[in-house]
């Protein structure tokens, strides 16, 4: 979704339909529920459902039986991560993602986190901050997998200005350089569909192999 979209719920619904269609084209039938999960929503889930605490080690007994594909956002996808208030929000997000994903694992749900599209408005963009926060959560033990990777086609010069490479057209990021257009959003959907279809087929193949081995005994 765009960083500062005016109707995130409507955009989420459109994205869910696009992903459903993309998976169907790859031979995977999926029931996808659209929901916008920003920093505030994630914190409310963690505090109201899990009291802000991680599960104990003995609770991790359930193998994943379903998947959650979540496209997280910060409440503020404009302010750079160099801002103190944004840094605090990112720290809270990292802690909440850890707890959220751990409880999802206890419930038998594997969490696929859609990687944010890195934007060219600043090398310290909110999108970069969100991406870093998700990676820190994973390194801290969050049982998450990343999906929806779109190669970044720009760097920044010594003045902090974006410099495109590999033929990247910065106009795909909008006039403000932080509003990905349909081209980039469709690329994310295709990437997610490829990842999920592959994981689904691998899981089905493993299940078939296990069933055959059991029948042979």
């Amino acid at each position: 979704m765009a960083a500062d979209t005016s109707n995130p719920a409507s955009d989420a619904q459109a994205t869910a339909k696009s992903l459903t269609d993309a998976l169907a084209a790859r031979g995977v039938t999926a029931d996808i529920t659209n929901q916008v999960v920003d920093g505030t929503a994630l914190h409310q889930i963690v505090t109201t459902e899990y009291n802000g605490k991680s599960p104990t080690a003995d609770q991790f007994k359930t193998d994943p039986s379903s998947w959650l594909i979540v496209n997280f956002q910060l409440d503020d996808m404009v302010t750079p991560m160099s801002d103190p208030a944004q840094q605090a929000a990112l720290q809270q997000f990292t802690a909440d993602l850890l707890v959220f994903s751990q409880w999802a694992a206890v419930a038998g749900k594997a969490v696929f986190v859609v990687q944010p599209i890195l934007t060219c408005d600043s090398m310290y963009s909110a999108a970069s901050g969100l991406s870093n926060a998700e990676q820190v959560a994973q390194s801290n033990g969050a049982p998450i997998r990343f999906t929806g990777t779109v190669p970044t086609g720009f760097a920044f010069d010594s003045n902090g200005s974006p410099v495109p490479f590999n033929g990247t057209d910065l106009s795909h990021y909008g006039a403000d350089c932080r509003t990905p257009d349909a081209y980039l959003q469709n690329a994310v959907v295709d990437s997610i569909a490829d990842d999920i279809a592959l994981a689904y087929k691998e899981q089905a193949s493993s299940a078939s192999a296990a069933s055959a081995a059991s029948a042979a005994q």
Side-chain angles (χ1 to χ4, degrees), residues 6 8 22 40 82 95 98 137 139 155 160 162 169 176 187 192 210-211:
S6 59
T40 294
S82 53
L98 173 64
S139 66
D169 185 351
D176 57 6
I192 296 170
S211 177

Side-chain angles (χ1 to χ4, degrees), residues 6-215:
S6 59
N7 193 344
S10 177
D11 283 355
Q13 184 174 9
T15 300
K17 184 181 185 306
S18 296
L19 181 55
T20 301
D21 293 343
L23 285 170
R26 290 162 174 79
V28 177
T29 301
D31 181 14
I32 299 175
T33 301
N34 58 285
Q35 183 177 4
V36 178
V37 182
D38 58 20
T40 294
L42 177 63
H43 188 61
Q44 288 176 341
I45 292 171
V46 167
T47 54
T48 58
E49 295 187 23
Y50 312 124
N51 200 29
K53 298 179 180 179
S54 295
T56 56
D58 63 317
Q59 292 177 287
F60 288 95
K61 298 177 180 178
T62 305
D63 292 328
S65 57
S66 60
W67 298 343
L68 292 175
I69 308 170
V70 191
N71 186 10
F72 291 107
Q73 291 192 4
L74 302 174
D75 292 355
D76 177 359
M77 289 298 295
V78 175
T79 302
M81 61 178 174
S82 53
D83 180 84
Q86 189 73 295
Q87 290 176 0
L90 288 165
Q91 290 176 356
Q92 185 63 63
F93 175 87
T94 297
D96 289 340
L97 179 56
L98 173 64
V99 175
F100 172 84
S101 59
Q102 287 178 332
W103 278 108
V106 169
K109 299 176 181 179
V111 179
F112 286 76
V113 174
V114 179
Q115 292 188 294
I117 299 174
L118 300 184
T119 56
C120 54
D121 51 318
S122 167
M123 67 177 68
Y124 306 109
S125 68
S128 294
L130 176 58
S131 179
N132 290 339
E134 291 171 345
Q135 292 175 33
V136 170
Q138 185 187 53
S139 66
N140 288 346
I144 59 178
R145 295 172 61 178
F146 292 113
T147 185
T149 303
V150 175
T152 301
F154 57 85
F156 294 91
D157 62 21
S158 59
N159 296 317
S161 299
V163 179
F165 58 80
N166 292 336
T168 296
D169 185 351
L170 293 182
S171 66
H172 286 308
Y173 298 87
D176 57 6
C177 227
R178 64 167 178 263
T179 307
D181 65 4
Y183 173 84
L184 289 173
Q185 294 182 53
N186 289 336
V188 171
V189 169
D190 284 338
S191 178
I192 296 170
D194 285 342
D195 291 344
I196 297 303
L198 177 61
Y200 178 84
K201 290 171 183 177
E202 288 177 345
Q203 185 182 61
S205 177
S206 297
S208 297
S211 177
S214 177

